[in-house]
């Protein structure tokens, strides 16, 4: 059936336009914001250590074992570092590329199921939904895991529908790669969804036969062949790995009882607002599709895939809402799952000849977002909102850019809405999708402007300028979420005095030598040897540090959220010179 947009345009051109918009959202300005002090700095440091000759079996953070997650993301980042050098965009490239390939996979799946409209719509939503895109532009395990996990999920759906073991065996490989990306939860979640389908919706299958189908020996063998070698090597190499990785990081984290406590909690409705942010501009359009779109009926592979994705999205939402540990990015798979379910409704409307009646409703959904954006722009002129935004740390330049952000976003949304109302589906959706580029560009500029709030890049540069010969760098009690990016911006090792770090807890307890977790005596000894030293102290712990007397005789540099105390190398010192690696660009 011909598509309603660019009536003579081939499908490949429409697919290419969708993937181009997704590529701009995911890759443009990827290296602009600095590597942040949160998980970004931890994972980038681990990959950098691998690229510099460290162990590729046991990941090391700040010189000690870090086994919370498997190594596939680190391996890919290290490979990118070796190919293109070390930097922010290089570190983020594997995740951003995985998200783009997820969009491309939606198109490929639609082509396979002879549902090109569904494939393009799901790809466009996945590649432009603001929350999804912003997470994909961050160094996390989830975007990469999602690529492999969704591939396995899609192949399992085909295998069950077509009763072909070849698809099931093919699914074992990406499922193993997903397990090598984020751990056993990949297998657990797909297994849970498959089990619920078996119990509640086996379709034409006898349940016993479907269970035997799932437990195909060759599929299990392929999974083990890919996933097991690293796990066995890690168990053999690292004492304490099995308990910490399988029990503490998987079971105890889900229960909210991980040791040490580094999890985030929330109420049962925690993920409701997070999902709205995840879909953001697409929320009203998707709501219209869910409400006005045709019911998913029939026994085709396409409708089977819609039912599976709908059910999977519900299972994941309930599962993670029940967990004691919560994180906004845990529900990242729900975005493409819901997008595909509703994309099938859109395809069904086209196939049934009811698309013309549905398109004005889609236009209304797009218009609702555009009008909401315009209303927000009007509200930004109020003194109350002005003072609130400045008070929460929005830089003045970005505040001044809000009208441009809102007008650009609203204009594209309303233009897309008008085209949809005129029953030109593909053009309207593409124009509406362009609004994501405006929002992502603003978010990127904002992240760059807030460098001093999120990264130690500027602090590291100031220390280097004050101490051109390098320094032995210490941190007072804190590490992750505070000053971890000092590692990636050129100070290794970073010794943490009286560490409260949960990320270094296992490594410091199992370090054979050279633990970065030290007592104040390490600083005293370094100064006694005449070494150049610098101590990063967060402002909220400054009083306690000053009470120790360790700052006596040192100079100080003040920053927004920290103070760095430093002392130059003593003349005639025989201590080895610090071996700080070169600074990142």
């Amino acid at each position: 059936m011909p598509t309603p947009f660019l009536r003579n345009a081939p499908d490949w051109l429409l697919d290419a336009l969708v993937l181009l918009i997704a590529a701009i959202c995911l890759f443009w300005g990827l290296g602009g914001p600095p590597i942040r002090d949160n998980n970004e700095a931890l994972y980038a440091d681990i990959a950098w250590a691998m690229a510099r000759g460290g162990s590729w079996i046991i990941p090391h953070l700040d010189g000690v074992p870090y086994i919370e997650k498997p190594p596939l993301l680190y391996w890919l980042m290290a490979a990118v570092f070796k190919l293109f050098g070390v930097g922010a965009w290089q570190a983020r490239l594997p995740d951003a590329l995985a998200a783009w390939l997820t969009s491309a996979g939606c198109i490929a799946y639609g082509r396979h199921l002879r549902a090109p409209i569904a494939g393009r719509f799901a790809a466009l939503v996945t590649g432009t939904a603001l929350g999804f895109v912003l997470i994909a532009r961050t160094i996390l395990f989830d975007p990469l895991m999602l690529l492999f996990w969704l591939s396995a999920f899609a192949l399992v759906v085909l295998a069950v529908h077509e009763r072909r073991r070849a698809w099931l065996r093919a699914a074992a490989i990406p499922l193993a790669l997903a397990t090598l990306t984020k751990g056993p939860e990949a297998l657990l979640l797909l297994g849970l969804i498959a089990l619920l389908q078996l119990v509640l919706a086996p379709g034409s299958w006898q349940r016993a036969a479907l269970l035997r189908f799932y437990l195909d020996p060759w599929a299990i063998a392929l999974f083990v062949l890919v996933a097991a070698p690293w796990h066995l090597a890690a168990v053999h190499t690292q004492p304490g790995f099995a308990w910490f990785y399988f029990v503490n990081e998987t079971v105890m984290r889900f229960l909210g009882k991980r040791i040490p406590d580094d999890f985030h909690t929330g109420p049962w409705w925690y993920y409701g607002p997070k999902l709205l942010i995840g879909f953001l501009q697409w929320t009203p359009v998707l709501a219209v599709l869910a409400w006005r779109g045709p019911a998913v009926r029939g026994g085709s592979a396409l409708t089977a895939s819609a039912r599976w994705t709908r059910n999977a999205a519900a299972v994941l939402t309930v599962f993670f809402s029940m967990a004691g540990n919560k994180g906004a990015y845990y529900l990242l798979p729900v975005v493409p799952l819901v997008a595909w379910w509703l994309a099938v409704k859109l395809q069904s409307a086209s196939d049934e000849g009811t698309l013309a009646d549905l398109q004005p409703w889609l236009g209304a959904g797009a218009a609702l977002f555009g009008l909401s954006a315009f209303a927000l722009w009007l509200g930004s002129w109020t003194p109350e909102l002005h003072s609130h935004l400045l008070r929460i740390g929005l830089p003045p330049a970005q505040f001044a850019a809000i009208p441009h952000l809102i007008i650009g976003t609203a204009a594209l949304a309303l233009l897309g809405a008008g085209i949809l109302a005129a029953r030109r589906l593909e053009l309207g959706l593409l124009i509406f999708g362009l609004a994501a580029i405006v929002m992502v560009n603003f978010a990127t500029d904002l992240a760059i402007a807030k460098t001093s709030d999120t990264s130690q890049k500027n602090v590291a540069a100031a220390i280097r300028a004050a101490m051109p010969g390098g320094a032995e760098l210490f941190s007072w009690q804190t590490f992750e979420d505070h000053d971890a990016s000092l590692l990636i911006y050129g100070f290794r090792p970073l010794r943490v005095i009286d560490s409260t770090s949960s990320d270094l807890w296992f490594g410091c307890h199992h370090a054979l030598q050279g633990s970065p977790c030290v007592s104040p005596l390490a600083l005293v000894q370094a100064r006694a040897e005449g070494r150049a030293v610098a101590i990063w102290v967060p402002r909220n712990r400054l009083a306690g540090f000053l009470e120790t007397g360790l700052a006596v005789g040192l100079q100080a540099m003040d920053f927004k959220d920290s103070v760095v105390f430093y002392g130059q190398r003593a003349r005639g010192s025989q201590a080895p010179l610090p071996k700080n690696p070169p600074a990142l660009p």
Side-chain angles (χ1 to χ4, degrees), residues 16 44 49 75 87 124 153 202 228-229 310 323 357-359 381 426 430 435 444 463 466 476 479 497 525 532 554:
W75 290 346
L124 186 62
F153 175 87
R310 178 197 61 200
D357 296 330
L358 180 61
Q359 286 186 79
W381 291 92
E426 306 276 9
L430 287 171
T444 301
I463 296 174
W476 180 249
F479 182 60
I497 301 173
Q525 182 179 353
L554 298 176

Side-chain angles (χ1 to χ4, degrees), residues 478-549:
T478 63
F479 182 60
E480 66 271 12
D481 297 330
H482 294 90
D483 56 329
S485 63
L486 288 171
L487 285 170
I488 202 69
Y489 285 109
F491 290 92
R492 298 171 56 88
L494 174 62
R495 296 181 176 88
V496 185
I497 301 173
D498 291 346
S499 172
T500 61
S501 169
S502 59
D503 284 314
L504 293 176
W505 180 82
F506 178 88
C508 287
H509 279 76
H510 289 81
L512 299 178
Q513 59 183 359
S515 172
C517 301
V518 299
S519 72
L521 291 177
L523 175 60
V524 173
Q525 182 179 353
R527 294 186 65 185
E529 294 173 355
R531 297 174 184 263
V533 298
I535 309 96
W536 187 94
V537 183
R539 287 199 174 274
N540 60 358
R541 296 176 184 260
L542 181 59
F545 175 77
L546 293 176
E547 289 175 0
T548 66

Side-chain angles (χ1 to χ4, degrees), residues 294-306:
V296 175
R297 292 185 295 264
S300 69
L302 182 63
T303 56
S305 70

Side-chain angles (χ1 to χ4, degrees), residues 54-344:
S55 171
W56 286 59
I57 300 298
I58 300 299
H60 278 65
L61 172 65
D62 202 8
V64 295
Y66 179 83
I67 56 171
E68 292 188 7
K69 297 293 185 291
L72 185 54
L73 176 62
Y74 308 138
W75 290 346
L76 294 177
M77 290 169 63
V80 172
F81 288 164
K82 283 181 169 290
L83 287 173
F84 303 113
V86 182
W89 73 262
Q90 295 94 325
R92 295 177 181 129
L93 182 61
D95 279 318
L97 182 58
W100 186 82
L101 289 173
T102 299
S103 285
C106 292
I107 290 176
Y109 204 53
R111 287 287 191 94
H112 180 80
L113 297 177
R114 298 181 180 179
I117 292 177
R120 276 193 293 275
F121 181 77
L124 186 62
V125 173
T126 299
T128 60
L130 185 62
F132 183 94
V133 168
L134 294 183
I135 289 176
R137 291 168 60 93
T138 304
I139 306 170
L140 289 168
F141 297 100
D142 300 80
L144 182 64
M145 189 274 284
L146 176 61
L147 170 65
F148 297 128
W149 190 87
L150 280 179
S151 299
F153 175 87
L155 290 169
V156 168
V157 172
L158 289 178
V160 172
H161 180 77
E162 299 179 9
R163 297 175 180 252
R164 290 183 59 188
R165 293 182 183 272
W167 289 126
L168 190 67
R169 293 164 186 172
I173 296 174
L175 181 59
L177 294 174
T179 303
L180 283 174
T181 301
K182 202 175 178 184
E185 76 171 60
L187 176 62
L188 171 66
L189 293 175
L190 187 55
L192 178 61
I193 292 165
L195 178 62
L196 289 175
Q197 286 289 133
L198 181 148
V199 173
L200 301 177
S204 62
W205 283 86
Q206 294 292 324
R207 289 185 175 85
L210 182 54
L211 179 60
R212 289 193 298 271
F213 182 81
Y214 283 155
L215 299 178
D216 178 72
W218 282 104
I220 295 173
L222 284 169
F223 176 85
V224 171
L225 182 66
V226 176
W230 174 79
H231 288 87
L232 292 174
V235 169
H236 176 74
T237 304
Q238 180 60 56
F241 172 87
W243 173 82
F244 190 88
Y245 176 85
F246 289 108
V247 178
N248 198 42
E249 266 301 305
T250 303
V251 179
M252 304 303 283
R253 182 179 285 278
F254 175 81
L255 297 174
K257 297 182 181 297
R258 180 193 184 273
I259 303 171
D261 172 2
D262 78 334
F263 49 84
H264 305 282
T265 61
W268 65 268
W269 47 264
Y270 173 87
Y271 287 109
K274 305 299 182 185
L275 285 174
L276 290 178
I277 295 173
F279 290 107
L280 199 69
Q281 73 273 30
W282 289 102
T283 300
V285 177
L286 296 176
V288 165
L289 260 179
W291 173 40
R292 303 294 302 184
V296 175
R297 292 185 295 264
S300 69
L302 182 63
T303 56
S305 70
R307 286 190 288 267
W308 273 76
T309 53
R310 178 197 61 200
N311 296 345
V315 168
L316 294 181
T317 302
V318 172
F319 178 86
F320 284 112
S321 296
M322 292 171 56
N325 179 42
K326 292 181 171 63
Y329 45 85
Y330 290 174
L331 281 189
L332 197 66
V334 172
V335 173
L337 288 172
V338 169
W340 182 263
W341 165 47
L342 296 175
V344 173

Side-chain angles (χ1 to χ4, degrees), residues 276-497:
L276 290 178
I277 295 173
F279 290 107
L280 199 69
Q281 73 273 30
W282 289 102
T283 300
V285 177
L286 296 176
V288 165
L289 260 179
W291 173 40
R292 303 294 302 184
V296 175
R297 292 185 295 264
S300 69
L302 182 63
T303 56
S305 70
R307 286 190 288 267
W308 273 76
T309 53
R310 178 197 61 200
N311 296 345
V315 168
L316 294 181
T317 302
V318 172
F319 178 86
F320 284 112
S321 296
M322 292 171 56
N325 179 42
K326 292 181 171 63
Y329 45 85
Y330 290 174
L331 281 189
L332 197 66
V334 172
V335 173
L337 288 172
V338 169
W340 182 263
W341 165 47
L342 296 175
V344 173
K345 283 177 166 280
L346 188 64
Q347 182 73 52
S348 298
S350 176
D351 295 343
E352 295 171 7
T354 60
L355 186 59
D357 296 330
L358 180 61
Q359 286 186 79
W361 288 98
L362 297 178
L368 178 59
F369 173 75
L371 292 173
S372 299
F374 188 73
L376 179 62
W377 173 60
L378 294 178
S380 69
W381 291 92
T382 65
E384 293 80 6
L385 183 57
H386 187 159
S387 60
H388 175 71
L389 292 173
L390 294 178
R391 187 168 60 253
I392 63 175
L394 186 68
Q398 274 59 52
F399 180 83
I402 285 180
H404 305 286
L405 164 70
I406 300 300
I407 292 173
T409 301
L412 287 169
L414 293 173
L415 178 60
I419 296 173
L420 284 169
R423 294 176 171 80
R424 300 186 65 187
L425 177 71
E426 306 276 9
L427 179 59
L429 291 175
L430 287 171
I431 295 297
F432 185 76
L434 290 174
I437 297 175
V438 178
M439 294 185 286
V440 171
N441 183 67
F442 178 85
T444 301
D445 289 344
L446 177 61
I448 295 171
K450 292 178 71 66
T451 292
S452 61
D453 295 323
T454 62
S455 173
Q456 302 305 310
K457 179 179 180 179
N458 295 338
V459 174
I463 296 174
R464 286 183 175 276
M467 310 182 76
E472 306 285 343
L473 188 60
F474 295 83
S475 172
W476 180 249
Q477 299 181 334
T478 63
F479 182 60
E480 66 271 12
D481 297 330
H482 294 90
D483 56 329
S485 63
L486 288 171
L487 285 170
I488 202 69
Y489 285 109
F491 290 92
R492 298 171 56 88
L494 174 62
R495 296 181 176 88
V496 185
I497 301 173

